[in-house]
Amino acid sequence: MNVVIIGCGVIGAAIAYELSQVKGLKITVCDRQPPAQASTGAALGVLMGAISQKIKGKAWQMRQTSIQRYETLIPELEALTGRKIPFNRQGILSLGLEKENLAAWEKLVEIRHSQGWHLEIWDTAKLQNMCPQVDEKITGAVYSPQDRQIDPTALTLALVEAAQHNGVTFKFGVAVLDAQISAAESSPQFCNQLETTEGKIAADWFVIAAGLGSTPLTAKLNQLIDIRPVLGQALQLRVGYPLGNPDFQPAITGNDVHIVPVGGGDYWVGATVEFPSNGDESSPLRIFPPLKELANPEGEIPPNQELLESVREQAIAFCPELATATILRTWSGLRPRPEGRPAPVIGKLPGFSNVLLATGHYRNGVLLAPATAYAIREMIIS
């Protein structure tokens, strides 16, 4: 059975690796650029599972599946490829425990306990003892020892290499030009083949995992899945030494700002959330680029320097020593956010029996990649 995956960010690569372990599948992955570009290359890889507010249904189930799978996936990939994947197993610390939200956190601790997960509420004394780099004005925190942080680019490259090792073919620099749909007026329809810049590719199954590139692809199949860009900016700061306790370096988060230790006294800080045309999320007046322009979404949203600076200032408010850090680099990327529906979009493309969607993960692509790969595998092998 031939399977073609379009898109090789973390989602496409995770699906390719997962499917490569199924006997009898011939898998090809196409992308118009090298792996781990676009939103994957811009992500911070903070895997907020137990510490997230999602407690039931598919949203929690997918998080739980992914966090559990990462524990076996990383050693598996490292053994197969000989690559080292930076994977921080020291948990996530969420700051800003105020009196008014204490009850909500206590409830979450209870729920997680009943689900077999562990969360701890730290008072100011415990916080200062464990993480003296945190400003002493911060009254408390919630610590999640089972959540993780991973380097998204290193992960994606390892997934690609492991999938290649298992026989998957990767074609980079290949763009999809058109799709050929079965002539029969049957419902649902069948996509026979894609026309690419490297010729025609036929398959039994097509998986669209192209993030923002999914919108123009689905338009070629006359079923527009509307995914819009949301810009995120981040920076890498060099302090030159580990903040606080060198042996305890969790990812720290608060007020939607992450401080991620990446070794050698360097920290990633991010990320902004920037919508097109300076409209905010709730504004009915947001003006989006015409859909035909979304075929090439790069450059749609100019990065806002003030927003990046405000993220840096928030990080300094949490960890004052970051004020003296050198900015090594800044970067940005566009996240794929489904318009008018929850993220992500996983399932059959409406009207088609053999086109699957695994896209629109917005800010949780790295977190949900293993669970997404499982879901796609189930749809294909069932």
Side-chain angles (χ1 to χ4, degrees), residues 86-354:
F87 187 49
N88 187 343
R89 292 181 170 84
Q90 300 197 326
I92 295 177
L93 184 67
S94 179
L95 304 177
L97 188 62
E98 308 298 336
K99 283 190 177 63
E100 55 268 24
N101 64 9
L102 180 62
W105 278 112
E106 284 172 341
K107 180 96 181 95
L108 186 66
V109 170
E110 232 170 88
I111 291 166
R112 288 292 181 249
H113 185 73
S114 73
Q115 294 169 331
W117 293 81
H118 184 62
L119 283 182
E120 296 169 16
I121 290 181
W122 289 1
D123 61 14
T124 312
K126 173 89 186 239
L127 178 58
Q128 278 305 308
N129 181 37
M130 298 298 291
C131 293
Q133 72 269 37
V134 172
D135 190 296
E136 57 218 10
K137 289 196 288 291
I138 292 170
T139 52
V142 179
Y143 176 57
S144 176
Q146 292 158 295
D147 284 332
R148 302 286 182 255
Q149 183 274 333
I150 194 161
D151 182 316
T153 300
L155 166 65
T156 305
L157 296 177
L159 286 164
V160 169
E161 196 178 311
Q164 277 172 326
H165 181 272
N166 290 349
V168 175
T169 303
F170 287 84
K171 294 172 181 273
F172 298 113
V174 174
V176 176
L177 303 171
D178 212 354
Q180 193 181 327
I181 302 165
S182 57
E185 284 299 300
S186 65
S187 178
Q189 287 186 297
F190 190 84
C191 177
N192 298 321
Q193 58 185 19
L194 296 180
E195 202 161 314
T196 75
T197 46
E198 254 196 19
K200 292 180 167 56
I201 303 182
D204 301 289
W205 289 96
F206 293 96
V207 181
I208 297 176
L212 286 163
S214 305
T215 296
L217 270 171
T218 56
K220 293 181 203 307
L221 294 161
N222 307 318
Q223 286 287 347
L224 189 76
I225 301 296
D226 187 0
I227 294 174
R228 305 281 170 99
V230 178
L231 185 91
Q233 297 184 76
L235 357 90
Q236 183 166 347
L237 301 178
R238 173 156 294 166
V239 184
Y241 56 88
L243 296 172
N245 176 355
D247 299 322
F248 183 59
Q249 293 281 303
I252 293 178
T253 185
N255 209 6
D256 218 12
V257 170
H258 303 309
I259 303 167
V260 177
V262 287
D266 285 6
Y267 291 82
W268 287 348
V269 171
T272 63
V273 178
E274 301 174 47
F275 288 86
S277 309
N278 65 35
D280 69 277
E281 194 163 357
S282 57
S283 163
L285 300 173
R286 268 192 294 164
I287 299 157
F288 284 103
L291 284 171
K292 64 179 192 310
E293 286 174 28
L294 285 177
N296 183 22
E298 281 76 11
E300 285 294 353
I301 310 169
N304 180 328
Q305 282 318 111
E306 283 168 28
L307 282 178
L308 185 60
E309 181 52 29
S310 71
V311 164
R312 190 178 80 94
E313 284 166 8
Q314 176 69 84
I316 291 167
F318 289 149
C319 299
E321 285 168 274
L322 289 174
T324 59
T326 314
I327 299 175
L328 288 189
R329 64 182 180 117
T330 63
W331 70 95
S332 66
L334 297 170
R335 311 180 187 96
R337 179 177 181 266
E339 181 68 6
R341 63 191 288 179
V345 182
I346 300 170
K348 279 191 173 160
L349 179 67
F352 283 85
S353 59
N354 71 326

